[in-house]
Amino acid sequence: MDLLFDKYADAVIYSALEIREGDVLSINTEEDESTPFAKLLAKKAKEITGNGSYIQRLEDGKIVDNFDYLSPFPLTKKPTAFVYIPLWKDYPILKRDVEFDAPLLQGFRLLSDPLGNGEPSVPFVSCPLPGEAWDKALEDSAISSSSLLYSILELDNEDYIREMERRKENIRYEEKRLNAMELTECRIANDEGTDLTFSFLKTSRFHSSYSKTTAGRSFAPSIVTGDLFRLIDPTSLNGWLNVSRPIILFGERISSLSVHFQGGKIDEYRGTRRTEELMEIYLSEEPTAGRGSMVTISEVSNPLYSEELTLYSELDRMRCVSITVGGPKGEAVEEEDISRTVDSLISLSLPLGTRTTEITALNGKGEEVTIFSDGFFYDEEEEY
């Protein structure tokens, strides 16, 4: 476990945050259990920054304890980077006739991002910590939280930091390439029953999970990244989607679900009786809850692809190709998109990607091009 935490901390400091000399790190926790890892992060940060770090403990979003660590004198400089260490918390119990306010939706991990957030001023990263509660929640997947984290960070690779950097370079290349193609209409189909057509939102563009601050600093907010995502026209999605990976809805595991879109919105769904009950509850939350808002594309080389379920919605969204219904990822929405995309308090990602999934689209010249095939981004110009 000590080796896991040591490598994990290196991934956070060196790759996700790209800490620099002179930085001051603020590490936010919610439980005393995460304090040893917070101190390890601070120790590794000081080797680069030369400064100590703030360690803050939060309760209900409020700071209840705050101290400087590894600083010979009180810190006065404001933080230039943030780390949040979440510990797994069980889902609340779904009750009938309950009002789904923001805190409850957050507990079910269904709360959407606010629109129009813009670029942050400082880099930040959320790095969930392995523990008994997360282990228990993963029992159906027959994997421990520490093993899961070790796998998705590829910590068995001696050059895992370099591998994270390589993925970063590759996804940025694909982001630039796809945006240059000026894609309009799109089709996603596979041999497992998914066949969808839609149009990209005209004002939108592809974004990657690697974010930038207003000053241009790069960072990876979700520690494990490697996907591209883009807004879709909220009235354009049509066809069938068969879920290819388990999802969690109101704290319950769903392994089989088919949904049909008409005019951008789910108008039919099929599954077990309980699955259909949960979908009915979800769709009744808001008129926009079942409206398609965003597509996510991840390659099979993404280390999350091999994982059945992580139980963290942001990580599970990146397992493969998926369609988000309800509110889209905040980073996908630029100022000119706010009035055109789906504004919803609730959000759910539906994974559909398999090795047979193929994505074709019309480019700016009206030509049909393949952009994803056999589990990878497809570049026709690289074919011999």
Side-chain angles (χ1 to χ4, degrees):
M1 182 64 76
D2 289 342
L3 178 60
L4 166 64
F5 285 165
D6 192 70
K7 287 188 170 185
Y8 192 15
D10 282 344
V12 174
I13 297 298
Y14 291 103
S15 182
L17 282 179
E18 299 185 16
I19 285 289
R20 302 176 178 179
E21 183 179 357
D23 277 345
V24 173
L25 187 61
S26 179
I27 307 168
N28 299 334
T29 72
E30 291 185 342
E31 304 289 344
D32 292 337
E33 183 182 342
S34 57
T35 299
F37 185 62
K39 290 182 175 180
L40 177 61
L41 288 171
K43 179 181 177 181
K44 288 183 175 291
K46 187 172 184 178
E47 294 173 357
I48 302 172
T49 67
N51 294 321
S53 297
Y54 296 102
I55 297 181
Q56 300 179 335
R57 190 166 66 85
L58 310 177
E59 285 185 6
D60 299 323
K62 298 180 180 179
I63 298 174
V64 296
D65 188 21
N66 180 29
F67 62 92
D68 302 344
Y69 185 65
L70 296 180
S71 180
F73 48 84
L75 288 170
T76 58
K77 184 177 180 179
K78 291 183 178 180
T80 58
F82 284 88
V83 172
Y84 172 53
I85 309 175
L87 284 173
W88 176 263
K89 294 183 179 179
D90 291 333
Y91 296 103
I93 297 173
L94 180 62
K95 298 179 180 179
R96 292 186 179 183
D97 302 321
V98 67
E99 181 180 351
F100 287 101
D101 57 10
L104 184 57
L105 289 172
Q106 179 66 38
F108 283 120
R109 296 167 178 81
L110 293 171
L111 183 65
S112 65
D113 293 343
L115 301 182
N117 266 350
E119 294 176 334
S121 58
V122 297
F124 64 91
V125 61
S126 176
C127 48
L129 200 64
E132 292 182 5
W134 194 7
D135 286 344
K136 184 177 180 182
L138 284 168
E139 281 181 346
D140 288 342
S141 298
I143 188 173
S144 69
S145 55
S146 56
S147 296
L148 172 65
L149 192 62
Y150 206 88
S151 174
I152 63 179
L153 287 172
E154 298 183 305
L155 299 184
D156 57 342
N157 186 333
E158 290 186 3
D159 295 325
Y160 68 96
I161 296 291
R162 175 58 192 143
E163 186 62 23
M164 294 176 78
E165 294 304 301
R166 186 192 64 79
R167 286 199 301 273
K168 188 183 301 185
E169 293 167 3
N170 288 347
I171 205 67
R172 284 174 175 163
Y173 167 79
E174 295 297 346
E175 178 185 7
K176 183 178 180 180
R177 185 178 68 85
L178 289 179
N179 281 325
M181 295 172 71
E182 300 180 345
L183 302 175
T184 55
E185 298 177 18
C186 187
R187 181 188 180 193
I188 303 178
N190 61 34
D191 292 347
E192 288 72 33
T194 289
D195 195 342
L196 297 169
T197 59
F198 59 88
S199 298
F200 290 110
L201 193 64
K202 289 183 179 180
T203 55
S204 71
R205 62 186 180 91
F206 283 98
H207 294 262
S208 77
S209 293
Y210 298 103
S211 299
K212 286 188 176 181
T213 67
T214 51
R217 286 190 60 170
S218 175
F219 65 101
S222 55
I223 189 69
V224 182
T225 52
D227 63 316
L228 293 178
F229 47 88
R230 185 179 174 183
L231 299 177
I232 63 180
D233 184 317
T235 65
S236 67
L237 190 57
N238 293 287
W240 280 101
L241 183 157
N242 282 346
V243 168
S244 60
R245 300 288 180 88
I247 62 173
I248 299 294
L249 185 55
F250 297 114
E252 298 186 36
R253 185 185 182 110
I254 293 176
S255 298
S256 179
L257 171 66
S258 297
V259 298
H260 185 264
F261 293 89
Q262 181 67 39
K265 191 174 183 179
I266 294 175
D267 67 345
E268 185 179 351
Y269 45 91
R270 301 172 183 172
T272 65
R273 181 177 178 180
R274 183 54 177 166
T275 293
E276 292 181 359
E277 289 175 350
L278 293 172
M279 282 298 297
E280 182 180 1
I281 295 171
Y282 172 84
L283 294 172
S284 65
E285 168 56 19
E286 284 191 330
T288 52
R291 192 167 288 281
S293 61
M294 187 181 75
V295 59
T296 294
I297 308 176
S298 293
E299 293 185 320
V300 298
S301 57
N302 182 334
L304 282 162
Y305 179 81
S306 60
E307 303 303 329
E308 183 182 52
L309 201 60
T310 73
L311 297 174
Y312 279 95
S313 55
E314 180 60 18
L315 297 178
D316 284 332
R317 180 188 62 81
M318 296 188 288
R319 286 173 294 175
C320 57
V321 179
S322 66
I323 293 289
T324 296
V325 293
K329 185 174 172 61
E331 290 89 329
V333 184
E334 299 185 33
E335 187 174 352
E336 59 267 37
D337 303 323
I338 294 175
S339 62
R340 299 180 175 93
T341 190
V342 177
D343 187 0
S344 178
L345 190 65
I346 199 166
S347 179
L348 179 67
S349 289
L350 302 172
L352 60 92
T354 68
R355 196 62 187 249
T356 69
T357 299
E358 184 167 286
I359 305 177
T360 56
L362 296 182
N363 63 19
K365 299 178 182 179
E367 303 166 333
E368 182 175 283
V369 292
T370 298
I371 63 172
F372 189 86
S373 181
D374 197 30
F376 294 92
F377 291 106
Y378 184 79
D379 188 348
E380 293 180 344
E381 294 183 359
E382 293 183 353
E383 291 293 299
Y384 293 96

